[in-house]
Amino acid sequence: MIRKNFTLLGNLVVFALLSLAGVASAQTFNGSNLNQNGNSAIPLTGTGGCFGAANFNCNVTGTVTKPEKVTINLTHTWAGDLEIYLQAPNGERIALSTGNGGSGDNFTNTVFQDGAPSITTGTAPFTGTFAPEGAVGGFCATIPAGTIGTLAGFTTGQTGNWQLRIEDNAGGDSGNVTSWSIQFAAPPPPVDPCVFTCPPSVTVNLDGGECSAFVDYNAPTFTGNCSVPVVTPGSITQNNNMNIVDDALAFGTTPESHWRAYAAQTQDFTVNSLTMAAWNSGTVQVFIYSYTGNIGTGTLNTAQMTLLGSSPATAVVGNAGADITFPVNFTTPVVIPANTKFVVEQRKVAGGTFVMASNYAGSSQPSYISAPVAPTPTSYASYGFGFIHLIQRLNGTFIQNGNPIIVQTSGLPSGSEFPIGTTKNCFSLRSPVTGVEIGNCCFDVVVKEYPNPIQQLNCNDLVNISLDEDCSSCIGADDVLEGGPYHCYDDYTVELDKTLPYGNGPWVSACVGSADIGKTYQVRVTDTETGNRCWGNVKI
């Protein structure tokens, strides 16, 4: 049979809404320089002394992200009297400046932006770019202290009235707001749609006698934002996907606990178990929390912790002569989302007293997560502790964005022998984790039989048939017929008369073997579509 190779190009199927063209830019909204009394004065009345905040509105509309810059221009003698806040429509608030500038005058083209030197380092009139003072409060209590530490800490997408709130905490001085504005960060670029591309449908025209064709086609492809979660086994170590911060080592009395704060890796991680070390017997339980506070500050605010999950209480039989390591397995794995700050609490729920690993000779911090075994102490006996609560390794599964998989759901693979007719080849683009389909596409391979075969049959007078290596052969129409062109040879019936006198039957299958060697039989070929026949002879 003749092999025909076809390379099929793309047929686009788009599985997402096309995004609008163009590059988004930052958005700036100008605030009003009129306060609630209809003037630009600060303080609101008189010459100061914590007698009320002057509030200046800025109406923010449309689709916005988070503020990235706040620019103010105001006049005021003795700038150190001023307490200046930015407040969002939802009540979130940041102190831009409280009590800075001393006897200097004015804020002139003062820009507040995260990452710049703190406003506390500047001098009046503060021309330039400074970081806001943060989640602090001033001398006056009319405006509550800031609730967030950075501009990036505001909840995204807030529209409505933002307020510049200013209070004068001492008498004798005054001024006016000239102008102010908020610049919001540009929205993220539009996401490219996921485009799944199948080869186009193809038609193959067969030559005379052919019954099928071999067709090679290109695999479907995908472009754009087709990323899906991909799961890979792994473990978190200090030098791999986790920043370890010995943020707070807190000890309670009932129960005793050891806290560690971490900055999570850039992909989701599911914690299945962890390895710990112990000296004496006892029981330990592990709790994992997400944490919204700042890490690396030496303090731990439990009000900013949200429990993600915990292990069952694990009983450990210690070894009086050396450390032992033991696993703490989570009955329900704990999922730590990507870029999440989190805290691990190792809580002793039964057993002896607890002393942190800083009691080791020459060690001022607990052993890091990548340590295979704990450091050797000078003497355990002098401390009398039961557990050394240190994490040596978190074991689990990484979940990160990766490529989907392509699964053929119907039809034949590329390079297959395609029969006469239409074969529909369909493919599915799926998540390898969940199996959820992202998109699908199909194309047809159409194989057409030779269109105008002759109706007359011409059989060769004598055909020599050679047996194959297993001493057998089945005679086909293409072995006997001559001339043509004929339609698919598989549509003809070939039969032998093996009984003397040859030619009057019985007609049997045209398959022969070693017992037929040296014999000459009559053969006939019948067109099953027309009933036409021809006769000849075959010698085995």
Side-chain angles (χ1 to χ4, degrees):
M1 187 168 295
I2 300 173
R3 180 182 178 91
K4 302 188 181 218
N5 294 323
F6 296 86
T7 299
L8 311 183
L9 302 177
N11 177 25
L12 301 185
V13 183
V14 179
F15 294 97
L17 295 176
L18 293 175
S19 301
L20 297 176
V23 178
S25 58
Q27 299 169 281
T28 300
F29 295 86
N30 293 318
S32 172
N33 69 334
L34 300 179
N35 58 33
Q36 63 267 46
N37 286 347
N39 57 61
S40 61
I42 44 175
L44 190 61
T45 58
T47 59
C50 295
F51 295 128
N55 300 325
F56 301 84
N57 291 337
C58 179
N59 187 26
V60 174
T61 60
T63 302
V64 295
T65 54
K66 296 184 178 187
E68 63 178 1
K69 290 182 181 179
V70 178
T71 303
I72 64 174
N73 282 282
L74 60 85
T75 61
H76 192 281
T77 54
W78 206 283
D81 291 352
L82 296 182
E83 300 175 10
I84 307 171
Y85 298 82
L86 177 68
Q87 183 166 304
N90 71 349
E92 291 174 336
R93 187 169 45 258
I94 189 170
L96 299 177
S97 176
T98 61
N100 298 301
S103 61
D105 298 340
N106 308 331
F107 283 74
T108 304
N109 291 326
T110 306
V111 178
F112 294 94
Q113 184 175 9
D114 292 343
S118 173
I119 189 68
T120 60
T121 65
T123 57
F126 301 104
T127 301
T129 303
F130 303 90
E133 199 163 344
V136 298
F139 177 79
C140 296
T142 307
I143 308 173
T147 61
I148 56 176
T150 62
L151 293 174
F154 280 106
T155 301
T156 192
Q158 295 191 60
T159 57
N161 278 330
W162 288 69
Q163 286 189 330
L164 184 69
R165 306 189 65 184
I166 306 175
E167 189 154 16
D168 188 329
N169 62 28
D173 296 276
S174 62
N176 296 275
V177 169
T178 305
S179 64
W180 74 285
S181 64
I182 310 173
Q183 177 178 304
F184 288 83
V191 176
D192 291 335
C194 179
V195 180
F196 193 32
T197 305
C198 260
S201 295
V202 64
T203 298
V204 179
N205 295 311
L206 296 178
D207 293 330
E210 291 183 334
C211 302
S212 60
F214 291 91
V215 179
D216 294 306
Y217 57 81
N218 292 333
T221 60
F222 55 88
T223 59
N225 184 28
C226 300
S227 61
V228 293
V230 174
V231 173
T232 54
S235 59
I236 299 178
T237 63
Q238 180 190 2
N239 299 318
N240 190 356
N241 297 290
M242 185 75 61
N243 293 324
I244 295 179
V245 179
D246 291 314
D247 176 35
L249 306 175
F251 302 92
T253 55
T254 307
E256 295 169 344
S257 296
H258 177 189
W259 308 85
R260 295 286 296 277
Y262 301 86
Q265 68 286 346
T266 57
Q267 64 264 37
D268 291 357
F269 185 77
T270 300
V271 179
N272 299 317
S273 65
L274 55 83
T275 301
M276 298 177 66
W279 175 261
N280 291 332
S281 299
T283 304
V284 67
Q285 191 171 8
V286 176
F287 300 83
I288 298 181
Y289 309 83
S290 63
Y291 187 58
T292 57
N294 294 324
I295 60 177
T297 60
T299 60
L300 190 66
N301 185 352
T302 56
Q304 295 178 289
M305 292 162 47
T306 301
L307 183 66
L308 297 177
S310 62
S311 74
T314 301
V316 179
V317 177
N319 183 348
D323 262 348
I324 64 165
T325 58
F326 60 94
V328 175
N329 297 314
F330 291 81
T331 305
T332 301
V334 178
V335 178
I336 301 172
N339 300 308
T340 299
K341 290 178 288 187
F342 70 100
V343 170
V344 177
E345 176 194 5
Q346 303 107 70
R347 183 185 299 174
K348 182 181 66 60
V349 293
T353 58
F354 166 69
V355 176
M356 67 178 180
S358 61
N359 283 319
Y360 289 135
S363 174
S364 61
Q365 300 180 36
S367 298
Y368 283 128
I369 207 169
S370 59
V373 291
T376 302
T378 54
S379 171
Y380 285 96
S382 60
Y383 304 118
F385 51 78
F387 277 100
I388 306 167
H389 283 219
L390 76 97
I391 294 180
Q392 294 184 309
R393 185 178 296 273
L394 291 173
N395 298 306
T397 304
F398 291 113
I399 303 177
Q400 55 193 331
N401 284 336
N403 288 330
I405 58 174
I406 298 174
V407 178
Q408 186 165 12
T409 56
S410 68
L412 296 172
S414 175
S416 297
E417 185 176 4
F418 286 78
I420 292 172
T422 299
T423 302
K424 184 171 289 295
N425 304 281
C426 294
F427 295 84
S428 176
L429 190 66
R430 298 178 181 176
S431 164
V433 178
T434 63
V436 172
E437 185 176 83
I438 302 169
N440 59 74
C441 64
C442 299
F443 73 95
D444 294 333
V445 172
V446 181
V447 178
K448 291 188 174 181
E449 190 174 7
Y450 185 76
N452 297 304
I454 65 171
Q455 301 297 310
Q456 174 185 340
L457 302 186
N458 299 311
C459 285
N460 199 303
D461 289 338
L462 179 63
V463 178
N464 290 298
I465 300 297
S466 298
L467 302 185
D468 57 23
E469 63 273 9
D470 62 356
C471 269
S472 66
S473 179
C474 288
I475 302 169
D478 52 340
D479 295 320
V480 180
L481 292 175
E482 59 184 13
Y486 297 101
H487 57 72
C488 170
Y489 284 128
D490 292 345
D491 293 337
Y492 298 90
T493 300
V494 181
E495 299 167 294
L496 297 178
D497 181 357
K498 295 184 177 183
T499 305
L500 291 173
Y502 299 132
N504 62 351
W507 296 97
V508 297
S509 166
C511 292
V512 293
S514 59
D516 301 302
I517 293 175
K519 297 180 180 180
T520 300
Y521 300 131
Q522 190 161 68
V523 62
R524 75 178 182 185
V525 179
T526 303
D527 186 340
T528 57
E529 295 181 1
T530 65
N532 290 344
R533 288 174 175 166
C534 68
W535 291 261
N537 297 285
V538 292
K539 182 176 182 179
I540 312 304

